[in-house]
Each structure stands twice: as C-alpha cells, then as structure tokens.
Amino acid sequence: MAHLLIVEDDELLRDGLAAQLGQAGHQVATAANGALGQTLLETSRFDGVVLDLGLPVMDGMHLLRWIRQRQLALPVLILTARDGVEDRVEGLNAGADDYLTKPFSMAELEARLGAMLRRSRLPAFGGSLEMPTGRLRLDATQPLAWLDDEPLELTQREWSLLSLLVANAGQVVGREDVLAVWQSDPNDSTNTGSNALEVYVHRLRRKLADSGLNIRNVRGLGYMLETTTP
Ligand code: CA
C-alpha cells in the first residue's frame, strides 16, 4: 500500500482514479488544482503523485518544478494530452518519472504506478508479495523470489512479469501492461520484441512446474496466474 496524491481538475477522472487506486489498496488523497496539491504536499507525506499537467490556479508543470526543488526522490507520474509531445518532453526534463497519455486504461496506470513505486524502493505491495497458497513469495523491490522457502532463479524480466501476475492473481494481466512495465524499467535494457512475452511466460511456467501454480493464456486478453492444486 502506498500513500498517493492525485492532482487532476477533471472531476470524473479524478474520482475514477481515486476509486480505482483505493480499491487496489492504496491510500489516496485528491486535489482539483495545483495550489491545493501544493498545500497537501506541504502538510502530508506521500509515496507518489499522479499529476495532470493542464490544471487551473497553478499548472502541473509549475507544481512539478516546485516538487523537484523540495523533494528530489518523490515519484511523479504526469498525465498529458495525446498531442502534447512538447509537454511530455518538458515534463520529463522537469523531473517527472513517467507519463501517461490521455486516454489511458486503468490497468496501464496501475502497472506503471506499481513499477514507479518499486523503482523508488517504496513498499508498493507492502514489501513482499505472496500467493494465497503461501508457497510462492516475492520480494517487491528486488528480483528475488522463493518457492517453499527455496530461492527461485529469476531474471529481472521474469521477476517483474511474475510480480505483476502475483499482484493480480486470479485476474487477467494484459499483454500491453506487461510490456509497459518492462519498457519503463531502467534495469531492463533488452528490446521488447513481439514474441518476447511468450518466451518469458514459457520459461516461468517451467520454473513453476511443481508449484501448484499455472500461468493461463487468456486468448486475446493476456495471462492469468491461477492455482492448480485441488
Ligand atoms: Ca486538466
């Protein structure tokens, strides 16, 4: 769980984001303009910020610069318009950690936020991830995992794929969500080819062969981690 601040003037989007991230287990505060966001940042401690750039009273870029002058390490994900290439570049130059172009899917937002929080070494998923069966355990910040307390040999990419599947166990994780996490991972410099995902899923399946866990291919949608033990 992380303490997140959403600064967004579009009421529908703001409420939708707050509800979704709240359901994902995060503690969420919201602000409808840059000045209110600034006040909240002055009075509370946050683990991450979702920041719209087009805001009334104080715009998002101004607030981003203000954040960077005071809190160098606070992860910030900016939201920009589809045609806002210059905004995106300016935002990243001003110290944003990642960006999403509107409209975006909630699944992608959650995947990118999770990756951003993991990178900042904050307990996005409470420090470790565990399957309901308790046999598989993953460190939430480093590429480490254990099956029945025996270390599993995983590459960075296998670990981030498995983290995403465990965090969403029993739900479908979209192919594009996995690829988005890989692409935003600074520890992962390998190119993401179109067949790469199948290859990594195949490898993970073999490593999980006797674990009572299966990675199911949900045709046209993505992958789902499920327990196979009776
Ligand atoms: Ca806006």
Side-chain angles (χ1 to χ4, degrees):
M1 189 209 71
H3 191 197
L4 301 174
L5 174 64
I6 299 166
V7 191
E8 166 62 67
D9 58 324
D10 180 331
E11 192 181 347
L12 260 181
L13 181 56
R14 186 175 67 240
D15 291 351
L17 285 171
Q20 187 77 19
L21 294 174
Q23 261 184 8
H26 297 298
Q27 191 189 336
V28 183
T30 61
N33 65 57
L36 283 172
Q38 186 180 41
T39 305
L40 285 171
L41 283 160
E42 276 177 325
T43 50
S44 305
R45 218 201 119 264
F46 292 97
D47 301 317
V49 181
V50 177
L51 177 64
D52 182 33
L53 286 187
L55 289 171
V57 187
M58 177 195 290
D59 74 30
M61 202 68 77
H62 189 107
L63 182 57
L64 176 59
R65 292 213 171 86
W66 180 85
I67 291 172
R68 277 295 165 261
Q69 279 166 13
R70 298 163 56 97
Q71 299 185 58
L72 213 57
L74 179 64
V76 179
L77 185 148
I78 54 173
L79 306 177
T80 68
R82 179 168 288 283
D83 53 359
V85 183
E86 284 165 28
D87 280 356
R88 230 144 43 223
V89 172
E90 198 185 344
L92 291 171
N93 282 336
D97 296 270
D98 200 358
Y99 69 87
L100 270 179
T101 305
K102 293 180 184 179
F104 50 82
S105 76
M106 287 292 174
E108 183 174 12
L109 176 88
E110 279 187 43
R112 284 186 179 254
L113 257 183
M116 188 176 84
L117 293 169
R118 275 199 298 280
R119 286 204 297 276
S120 74
R121 302 286 182 230
L122 285 161
F125 303 107
S128 76
L129 288 164
E130 202 168 312
M131 278 302 288
T133 59
R135 292 184 58 195
L136 177 68
R137 203 157 46 82
L138 282 94
D139 191 295
T141 60
Q142 305 173 70
L144 299 172
W146 301 264
L147 184 62
D148 295 332
D149 290 327
E150 289 290 317
L152 265 183
E153 297 259 329
L154 296 177
T155 65
Q156 174 82 23
R157 213 172 241 203
E158 288 168 346
W159 169 82
S160 60
L161 170 60
L162 189 56
S163 301
L164 208 53
L165 288 168
V166 171
N168 297 284
Q171 299 170 54
V172 178
V173 175
R175 301 170 50 88
E176 65 283 1
D177 297 324
V178 180
L179 298 178
V181 167
W182 284 353
Q183 278 157 9
S184 66
D185 187 344
N187 297 321
D188 186 344
S189 56
T190 325
N191 275 332
T192 314
S194 56
N195 296 322
L197 187 51
E198 281 78 7
V199 172
Y200 283 93
V201 166
H202 183 70
R203 284 189 201 162
L204 263 187
R205 276 195 187 120
R206 280 171 41 188
K207 292 184 180 183
L208 295 174
D210 302 316
S211 65
L213 296 168
N214 177 46
I215 302 172
R216 181 145 71 95
N217 188 0
V218 184
R219 195 172 289 274
L221 291 176
Y223 296 96
M224 185 166 92
L225 190 63
E226 57 186 13
T227 48
T228 55
T229 26

Short mmCIF file of all heavy atoms in Angstrom, two decimals, residues 149-204:
data_model
loop_
_atom_site.label_atom_id
_atom_site.label_comp_id
_atom_site.label_asym_id
_atom_site.label_seq_id
_atom_site.Cartn_x
_atom_site.Cartn_y
_atom_site.Cartn_z
N ASP A 149 10.25 -21.61 0.38
CA ASP A 149 11.47 -21.09 1.01
C ASP A 149 12.76 -21.45 0.28
O ASP A 149 13.85 -21.16 0.77
CB ASP A 149 11.56 -21.50 2.49
CG ASP A 149 10.50 -20.78 3.32
OD1 ASP A 149 10.17 -19.62 2.99
OD2 ASP A 149 9.97 -21.38 4.27
N GLU A 150 12.65 -22.09 -0.89
CA GLU A 150 13.82 -22.32 -1.73
C GLU A 150 13.90 -21.16 -2.73
O GLU A 150 12.90 -20.85 -3.38
CB GLU A 150 13.67 -23.63 -2.52
CG GLU A 150 13.80 -24.89 -1.69
CD GLU A 150 15.23 -25.10 -1.22
OE1 GLU A 150 16.15 -24.91 -2.04
OE2 GLU A 150 15.40 -25.44 -0.03
N PRO A 151 15.10 -20.53 -2.87
CA PRO A 151 15.20 -19.42 -3.82
C PRO A 151 14.90 -19.87 -5.25
O PRO A 151 15.33 -20.95 -5.66
CB PRO A 151 16.65 -18.98 -3.71
CG PRO A 151 17.19 -19.61 -2.48
CD PRO A 151 16.34 -20.80 -2.17
N LEU A 152 14.15 -19.07 -5.99
CA LEU A 152 13.89 -19.33 -7.41
C LEU A 152 14.87 -18.50 -8.23
O LEU A 152 15.06 -17.32 -7.95
CB LEU A 152 12.48 -18.87 -7.77
CG LEU A 152 11.31 -19.82 -7.78
CD1 LEU A 152 10.06 -19.08 -8.24
CD2 LEU A 152 11.56 -21.03 -8.64
N GLU A 153 15.46 -19.11 -9.22
CA GLU A 153 16.38 -18.37 -10.09
C GLU A 153 15.57 -17.62 -11.14
O GLU A 153 14.98 -18.23 -12.03
CB GLU A 153 17.34 -19.33 -10.79
CG GLU A 153 18.23 -20.10 -9.86
CD GLU A 153 19.63 -19.50 -9.82
OE1 GLU A 153 20.05 -18.94 -10.84
OE2 GLU A 153 20.27 -19.58 -8.75
N LEU A 154 15.51 -16.29 -11.01
CA LEU A 154 14.72 -15.49 -11.96
C LEU A 154 15.56 -14.35 -12.52
O LEU A 154 16.35 -13.75 -11.79
CB LEU A 154 13.49 -14.89 -11.27
CG LEU A 154 12.42 -15.83 -10.72
CD1 LEU A 154 11.34 -15.02 -10.02
CD2 LEU A 154 11.81 -16.68 -11.81
N THR A 155 15.37 -14.06 -13.79
CA THR A 155 15.97 -12.85 -14.35
C THR A 155 15.09 -11.66 -13.94
O THR A 155 13.97 -11.83 -13.48
CB THR A 155 16.02 -12.91 -15.89
OG1 THR A 155 14.68 -12.93 -16.38
CG2 THR A 155 16.76 -14.15 -16.38
N GLN A 156 15.64 -10.45 -14.13
CA GLN A 156 14.90 -9.22 -13.82
C GLN A 156 13.51 -9.24 -14.49
O GLN A 156 12.48 -8.93 -13.91
CB GLN A 156 15.70 -8.02 -14.33
CG GLN A 156 15.01 -6.68 -14.22
CD GLN A 156 15.13 -6.08 -12.82
OE1 GLN A 156 16.04 -6.42 -12.07
NE2 GLN A 156 14.19 -5.21 -12.46
N ARG A 157 13.52 -9.65 -15.75
CA ARG A 157 12.30 -9.61 -16.54
C ARG A 157 11.30 -10.68 -16.09
O ARG A 157 10.09 -10.43 -16.03
CB ARG A 157 12.65 -9.84 -18.00
CG ARG A 157 11.75 -9.10 -18.91
CD ARG A 157 12.26 -9.20 -20.29
NE ARG A 157 12.56 -7.87 -20.79
CZ ARG A 157 12.60 -7.58 -22.07
NH1 ARG A 157 12.41 -8.52 -22.96
NH2 ARG A 157 12.84 -6.36 -22.46
N GLU A 158 11.81 -11.87 -15.77
CA GLU A 158 10.91 -12.93 -15.27
C GLU A 158 10.30 -12.50 -13.94
O GLU A 158 9.12 -12.72 -13.69
CB GLU A 158 11.71 -14.24 -15.09
CG GLU A 158 12.09 -14.90 -16.39
CD GLU A 158 13.12 -16.01 -16.20
OE1 GLU A 158 13.74 -16.10 -15.12
OE2 GLU A 158 13.31 -16.79 -17.14
N TRP A 159 11.13 -11.86 -13.13
CA TRP A 159 10.65 -11.42 -11.82
C TRP A 159 9.58 -10.33 -11.96
O TRP A 159 8.56 -10.37 -11.27
CB TRP A 159 11.83 -10.91 -10.99
CG TRP A 159 11.43 -10.20 -9.73
CD1 TRP A 159 11.08 -10.76 -8.53
CD2 TRP A 159 11.32 -8.79 -9.56
NE1 TRP A 159 10.77 -9.78 -7.63
CE2 TRP A 159 10.91 -8.56 -8.24
CE3 TRP A 159 11.55 -7.69 -10.39
CZ2 TRP A 159 10.71 -7.29 -7.72
CZ3 TRP A 159 11.35 -6.42 -9.88
CH2 TRP A 159 10.94 -6.24 -8.56
N SER A 160 9.78 -9.36 -12.86
CA SER A 160 8.77 -8.30 -12.97
C SER A 160 7.47 -8.85 -13.57
O SER A 160 6.38 -8.43 -13.20
CB SER A 160 9.29 -7.06 -13.71
OG SER A 160 9.68 -7.37 -15.02
N LEU A 161 7.59 -9.82 -14.48
CA LEU A 161 6.39 -10.48 -15.02
C LEU A 161 5.66 -11.24 -13.91
O LEU A 161 4.44 -11.11 -13.75
CB LEU A 161 6.79 -11.44 -16.15
CG LEU A 161 5.73 -12.38 -16.69
CD1 LEU A 161 4.54 -11.62 -17.27
CD2 LEU A 161 6.31 -13.32 -17.76
N LEU A 162 6.42 -12.00 -13.12
CA LEU A 162 5.81 -12.79 -12.05
C LEU A 162 5.20 -11.87 -10.98
O LEU A 162 4.11 -12.15 -10.46
CB LEU A 162 6.85 -13.73 -11.43
CG LEU A 162 6.34 -14.78 -10.45
CD1 LEU A 162 5.24 -15.66 -11.08
CD2 LEU A 162 7.48 -15.65 -9.93
N SER A 163 5.86 -10.76 -10.67
CA SER A 163 5.33 -9.79 -9.69
C SER A 163 3.96 -9.28 -10.12
O SER A 163 3.02 -9.20 -9.32
CB SER A 163 6.25 -8.58 -9.54
OG SER A 163 7.51 -8.96 -9.12
N LEU A 164 3.88 -8.95 -11.40
CA LEU A 164 2.64 -8.41 -11.95
C LEU A 164 1.53 -9.48 -11.87
O LEU A 164 0.38 -9.18 -11.53
CB LEU A 164 2.89 -8.01 -13.39
CG LEU A 164 2.06 -6.89 -14.00
CD1 LEU A 164 2.10 -5.64 -13.15
CD2 LEU A 164 2.57 -6.58 -15.40
N LEU A 165 1.89 -10.72 -12.19
CA LEU A 165 0.90 -11.81 -12.15
C LEU A 165 0.46 -12.11 -10.72
O LEU A 165 -0.73 -12.32 -10.47
CB LEU A 165 1.50 -13.08 -12.79
CG LEU A 165 1.67 -13.04 -14.31
CD1 LEU A 165 2.53 -14.20 -14.79
CD2 LEU A 165 0.31 -13.07 -15.00
N VAL A 166 1.40 -12.11 -9.78
CA VAL A 166 1.04 -12.41 -8.39
C VAL A 166 0.20 -11.27 -7.80
O VAL A 166 -0.79 -11.51 -7.12
CB VAL A 166 2.32 -12.66 -7.54
CG1 VAL A 166 1.96 -12.75 -6.06
CG2 VAL A 166 3.02 -13.93 -7.99
N ALA A 167 0.59 -10.02 -8.11
CA ALA A 167 -0.15 -8.87 -7.59
C ALA A 167 -1.60 -8.88 -8.10
O ALA A 167 -2.48 -8.33 -7.47
CB ALA A 167 0.53 -7.57 -7.97
N ASN A 168 -1.81 -9.51 -9.26
CA ASN A 168 -3.14 -9.56 -9.86
C ASN A 168 -3.64 -11.00 -9.97
O ASN A 168 -4.37 -11.33 -10.90
CB ASN A 168 -3.11 -8.93 -11.25
CG ASN A 168 -2.76 -7.46 -11.20
OD1 ASN A 168 -3.58 -6.64 -10.85
ND2 ASN A 168 -1.52 -7.13 -11.53
N ALA A 169 -3.23 -11.85 -9.03
CA ALA A 169 -3.57 -13.28 -9.11
C ALA A 169 -5.08 -13.47 -9.24
O ALA A 169 -5.87 -12.82 -8.57
CB ALA A 169 -3.06 -14.00 -7.87
N GLY A 170 -5.47 -14.35 -10.16
CA GLY A 170 -6.88 -14.62 -10.39
C GLY A 170 -7.52 -13.63 -11.34
O GLY A 170 -8.70 -13.75 -11.67
N GLN A 171 -6.76 -12.61 -11.76
CA GLN A 171 -7.26 -11.64 -12.74
C GLN A 171 -6.35 -11.65 -13.97
O GLN A 171 -5.19 -12.00 -13.86
CB GLN A 171 -7.23 -10.22 -12.18
CG GLN A 171 -8.08 -10.01 -10.94
CD GLN A 171 -7.79 -8.65 -10.33
OE1 GLN A 171 -7.88 -7.63 -11.00
NE2 GLN A 171 -7.44 -8.63 -9.06
N VAL A 172 -6.91 -11.24 -15.09
CA VAL A 172 -6.13 -11.21 -16.31
C VAL A 172 -5.20 -10.00 -16.32
O VAL A 172 -5.63 -8.88 -16.04
CB VAL A 172 -7.04 -11.18 -17.56
CG1 VAL A 172 -6.20 -11.10 -18.82
CG2 VAL A 172 -7.93 -12.41 -17.59
N VAL A 173 -3.93 -10.24 -16.62
CA VAL A 173 -2.97 -9.15 -16.83
C VAL A 173 -2.77 -9.02 -18.33
O VAL A 173 -2.39 -9.97 -19.00
CB VAL A 173 -1.63 -9.46 -16.13
CG1 VAL A 173 -0.60 -8.39 -16.46
CG2 VAL A 173 -1.81 -9.59 -14.64
N GLY A 174 -3.05 -7.84 -18.87
CA GLY A 174 -2.96 -7.62 -20.31
C GLY A 174 -1.52 -7.66 -20.80
O GLY A 174 -0.60 -7.28 -20.09
N ARG A 175 -1.35 -8.13 -22.05
CA ARG A 175 -0.01 -8.17 -22.64
C ARG A 175 0.64 -6.79 -22.63
O ARG A 175 1.81 -6.64 -22.31
CB ARG A 175 -0.10 -8.65 -24.10
CG ARG A 175 -0.72 -10.00 -24.29
CD ARG A 175 -0.97 -10.24 -25.78
NE ARG A 175 0.24 -9.97 -26.55
CZ ARG A 175 1.19 -10.86 -26.80
NH1 ARG A 175 1.05 -12.08 -26.36
NH2 ARG A 175 2.26 -10.53 -27.47
N GLU A 176 -0.18 -5.76 -22.96
CA GLU A 176 0.38 -4.41 -23.06
C GLU A 176 0.81 -3.88 -21.69
O GLU A 176 1.71 -3.06 -21.58
CB GLU A 176 -0.62 -3.45 -23.74
CG GLU A 176 -1.90 -3.18 -22.98
CD GLU A 176 -2.93 -4.31 -23.07
OE1 GLU A 176 -2.65 -5.35 -23.71
OE2 GLU A 176 -4.00 -4.15 -22.49
N ASP A 177 0.17 -4.39 -20.62
CA ASP A 177 0.57 -3.97 -19.28
C ASP A 177 1.94 -4.51 -18.92
O ASP A 177 2.76 -3.83 -18.32
CB ASP A 177 -0.46 -4.43 -18.24
CG ASP A 177 -1.82 -3.79 -18.49
OD1 ASP A 177 -1.85 -2.61 -18.89
OD2 ASP A 177 -2.84 -4.47 -18.30
N VAL A 178 2.18 -5.78 -19.29
CA VAL A 178 3.50 -6.37 -19.03
C VAL A 178 4.57 -5.62 -19.81
O VAL A 178 5.61 -5.23 -19.28
CB VAL A 178 3.53 -7.87 -19.41
CG1 VAL A 178 4.91 -8.45 -19.11
CG2 VAL A 178 2.45 -8.64 -18.68
N LEU A 179 4.27 -5.38 -21.10
CA LEU A 179 5.25 -4.69 -21.95
C LEU A 179 5.53 -3.28 -21.44
O LEU A 179 6.67 -2.82 -21.45
CB LEU A 179 4.76 -4.66 -23.40
CG LEU A 179 4.59 -6.06 -24.05
CD1 LEU A 179 4.05 -5.93 -25.47
CD2 LEU A 179 5.90 -6.83 -24.05
N ALA A 180 4.47 -2.61 -20.92
CA ALA A 180 4.65 -1.24 -20.40
C ALA A 180 5.59 -1.25 -19.20
O ALA A 180 6.43 -0.36 -19.05
CB ALA A 180 3.29 -0.64 -20.02
N VAL A 181 5.43 -2.25 -18.34
CA VAL A 181 6.29 -2.34 -17.15
C VAL A 181 7.73 -2.61 -17.57
O VAL A 181 8.67 -1.98 -17.08
CB VAL A 181 5.79 -3.43 -16.18
CG1 VAL A 181 6.83 -3.74 -15.12
CG2 VAL A 181 4.49 -2.98 -15.53
N TRP A 182 7.92 -3.54 -18.50
CA TRP A 182 9.28 -3.83 -18.98
C TRP A 182 9.92 -2.59 -19.58
O TRP A 182 11.07 -2.28 -19.33
CB TRP A 182 9.25 -4.94 -20.03
CG TRP A 182 9.05 -6.31 -19.45
CD1 TRP A 182 9.04 -6.64 -18.12
CD2 TRP A 182 8.84 -7.52 -20.18
NE1 TRP A 182 8.83 -7.99 -17.99
CE2 TRP A 182 8.70 -8.55 -19.22
CE3 TRP A 182 8.75 -7.84 -21.54
CZ2 TRP A 182 8.50 -9.88 -19.59
CZ3 TRP A 182 8.55 -9.15 -21.89
CH2 TRP A 182 8.41 -10.17 -20.94
N GLN A 183 9.14 -1.87 -20.39
CA GLN A 183 9.70 -0.72 -21.10
C GLN A 183 10.04 0.42 -20.15
O GLN A 183 10.93 1.22 -20.42
CB GLN A 183 8.73 -0.22 -22.17
CG GLN A 183 8.84 -1.05 -23.44
CD GLN A 183 7.58 -1.01 -24.29
OE1 GLN A 183 6.68 -0.22 -24.01
NE2 GLN A 183 7.52 -1.84 -25.31
N SER A 184 9.34 0.49 -19.00
CA SER A 184 9.62 1.60 -18.08
C SER A 184 10.63 1.20 -17.01
O SER A 184 10.89 1.97 -16.10
CB SER A 184 8.31 2.06 -17.43
OG SER A 184 7.80 1.03 -16.61
N ASP A 185 11.21 0.00 -17.12
CA ASP A 185 12.16 -0.48 -16.12
C ASP A 185 13.58 -0.12 -16.53
O ASP A 185 14.10 -0.63 -17.51
CB ASP A 185 12.02 -2.00 -15.99
CG ASP A 185 12.85 -2.55 -14.84
OD1 ASP A 185 13.74 -1.83 -14.36
OD2 ASP A 185 12.60 -3.69 -14.44
N PRO A 186 14.24 0.78 -15.77
CA PRO A 186 15.60 1.20 -16.15
C PRO A 186 16.62 0.08 -16.00
O PRO A 186 17.72 0.15 -16.55
CB PRO A 186 15.90 2.35 -15.18
CG PRO A 186 15.02 2.12 -14.01
CD PRO A 186 13.79 1.42 -14.52
N ASN A 187 16.28 -0.99 -15.22
CA ASN A 187 17.21 -2.12 -15.07
C ASN A 187 17.08 -3.10 -16.22
O ASN A 187 17.72 -4.14 -16.24
CB ASN A 187 16.94 -2.86 -13.75
CG ASN A 187 17.19 -1.97 -12.55
OD1 ASN A 187 18.13 -1.19 -12.56
ND2 ASN A 187 16.34 -2.08 -11.55
N ASP A 188 16.20 -2.82 -17.15
CA ASP A 188 15.91 -3.75 -18.23
C ASP A 188 16.20 -3.05 -19.56
O ASP A 188 15.44 -2.22 -20.02
CB ASP A 188 14.43 -4.15 -18.15
CG ASP A 188 14.06 -5.22 -19.17
OD1 ASP A 188 14.84 -5.43 -20.12
OD2 ASP A 188 12.99 -5.83 -19.00
N SER A 189 17.34 -3.38 -20.15
CA SER A 189 17.74 -2.68 -21.37
C SER A 189 17.48 -3.53 -22.62
O SER A 189 17.76 -3.09 -23.73
CB SER A 189 19.23 -2.32 -21.29
OG SER A 189 19.97 -3.50 -21.06
N THR A 190 16.92 -4.74 -22.43
CA THR A 190 16.65 -5.60 -23.56
C THR A 190 15.49 -5.05 -24.39
O THR A 190 14.54 -4.52 -23.82
CB THR A 190 16.25 -7.02 -23.09
OG1 THR A 190 16.98 -7.32 -21.92
CG2 THR A 190 16.52 -8.05 -24.15
N ASN A 191 15.58 -5.17 -25.68
CA ASN A 191 14.46 -4.74 -26.51
C ASN A 191 13.26 -5.66 -26.32
O ASN A 191 13.41 -6.85 -26.11
CB ASN A 191 14.86 -4.73 -27.98
CG ASN A 191 15.53 -3.42 -28.35
OD1 ASN A 191 15.25 -2.39 -27.74
ND2 ASN A 191 16.41 -3.47 -29.32
N THR A 192 12.08 -5.08 -26.41
CA THR A 192 10.87 -5.87 -26.21
C THR A 192 10.30 -6.27 -27.56
O THR A 192 9.51 -5.55 -28.15
CB THR A 192 9.84 -5.04 -25.42
OG1 THR A 192 10.50 -4.43 -24.33
CG2 THR A 192 8.74 -5.92 -24.89
N GLY A 193 10.71 -7.42 -28.05
CA GLY A 193 10.17 -7.94 -29.31
C GLY A 193 8.77 -8.47 -29.10
O GLY A 193 8.34 -8.68 -27.97
N SER A 194 8.05 -8.66 -30.20
CA SER A 194 6.65 -9.06 -30.08
C SER A 194 6.50 -10.49 -29.53
O SER A 194 5.49 -10.82 -28.92
CB SER A 194 5.96 -8.95 -31.44
OG SER A 194 6.65 -9.72 -32.39
N ASN A 195 7.52 -11.33 -29.74
CA ASN A 195 7.41 -12.70 -29.25
C ASN A 195 8.03 -12.89 -27.87
O ASN A 195 7.95 -13.96 -27.29
CB ASN A 195 8.09 -13.68 -30.22
CG ASN A 195 7.38 -13.69 -31.57
OD1 ASN A 195 6.16 -13.61 -31.62
ND2 ASN A 195 8.15 -13.75 -32.63
N ALA A 196 8.65 -11.81 -27.35
CA ALA A 196 9.39 -11.93 -26.09
C ALA A 196 8.49 -12.41 -24.95
O ALA A 196 8.88 -13.25 -24.16
CB ALA A 196 10.02 -10.59 -25.73
N LEU A 197 7.28 -11.88 -24.90
CA LEU A 197 6.40 -12.21 -23.79
C LEU A 197 6.11 -13.71 -23.73
O LEU A 197 6.20 -14.32 -22.67
CB LEU A 197 5.10 -11.40 -23.91
CG LEU A 197 4.13 -11.49 -22.74
CD1 LEU A 197 4.83 -11.23 -21.42
CD2 LEU A 197 3.00 -10.49 -22.92
N GLU A 198 5.79 -14.32 -24.88
CA GLU A 198 5.53 -15.76 -24.92
C GLU A 198 6.73 -16.55 -24.40
O GLU A 198 6.58 -17.52 -23.66
CB GLU A 198 5.21 -16.23 -26.34
CG GLU A 198 3.79 -15.95 -26.81
CD GLU A 198 3.58 -14.50 -27.21
OE1 GLU A 198 4.59 -13.76 -27.26
OE2 GLU A 198 2.44 -14.09 -27.45
N VAL A 199 7.92 -16.10 -24.81
CA VAL A 199 9.15 -16.79 -24.40
C VAL A 199 9.29 -16.75 -22.88
O VAL A 199 9.56 -17.77 -22.23
CB VAL A 199 10.39 -16.14 -25.07
CG1 VAL A 199 11.68 -16.71 -24.49
CG2 VAL A 199 10.34 -16.35 -26.57
N TYR A 200 9.07 -15.56 -22.29
CA TYR A 200 9.23 -15.43 -20.83
C TYR A 200 8.14 -16.18 -20.07
O TYR A 200 8.39 -16.76 -19.03
CB TYR A 200 9.26 -13.95 -20.44
CG TYR A 200 10.60 -13.34 -20.75
CD1 TYR A 200 10.83 -12.70 -21.96
CD2 TYR A 200 11.65 -13.45 -19.85
CE1 TYR A 200 12.07 -12.17 -22.26
CE2 TYR A 200 12.89 -12.93 -20.13
CZ TYR A 200 13.10 -12.29 -21.35
OH TYR A 200 14.33 -11.78 -21.64
N VAL A 201 6.92 -16.17 -20.61
CA VAL A 201 5.84 -16.93 -19.97
C VAL A 201 6.19 -18.42 -19.97
O VAL A 201 6.03 -19.11 -18.97
CB VAL A 201 4.49 -16.67 -20.69
CG1 VAL A 201 3.45 -17.69 -20.25
CG2 VAL A 201 3.99 -15.26 -20.39
N HIS A 202 6.71 -18.90 -21.10
CA HIS A 202 7.11 -20.30 -21.22
C HIS A 202 8.17 -20.65 -20.17
O HIS A 202 8.07 -21.67 -19.48
CB HIS A 202 7.63 -20.55 -22.65
CG HIS A 202 8.01 -21.96 -22.90
ND1 HIS A 202 7.08 -22.97 -23.01
CD2 HIS A 202 9.22 -22.54 -23.06
CE1 HIS A 202 7.70 -24.11 -23.22
NE2 HIS A 202 9.00 -23.89 -23.26
N ARG A 203 9.18 -19.80 -20.04
CA ARG A 203 10.25 -20.04 -19.07
C ARG A 203 9.71 -20.05 -17.65
O ARG A 203 10.07 -20.90 -16.84
CB ARG A 203 11.32 -18.95 -19.17
CG ARG A 203 12.20 -19.12 -20.36
CD ARG A 203 13.35 -18.14 -20.25
NE ARG A 203 13.93 -17.89 -21.55
CZ ARG A 203 14.70 -16.85 -21.84
NH1 ARG A 203 14.96 -15.96 -20.91
NH2 ARG A 203 15.20 -16.72 -23.04
N LEU A 204 8.84 -19.09 -17.35
CA LEU A 204 8.27 -19.02 -16.00
C LEU A 204 7.45 -20.26 -15.69
O LEU A 204 7.50 -20.80 -14.59
CB LEU A 204 7.38 -17.78 -15.86
CG LEU A 204 8.00 -16.52 -15.24
CD1 LEU A 204 6.93 -15.47 -15.04
CD2 LEU A 204 8.66 -16.84 -13.90
#
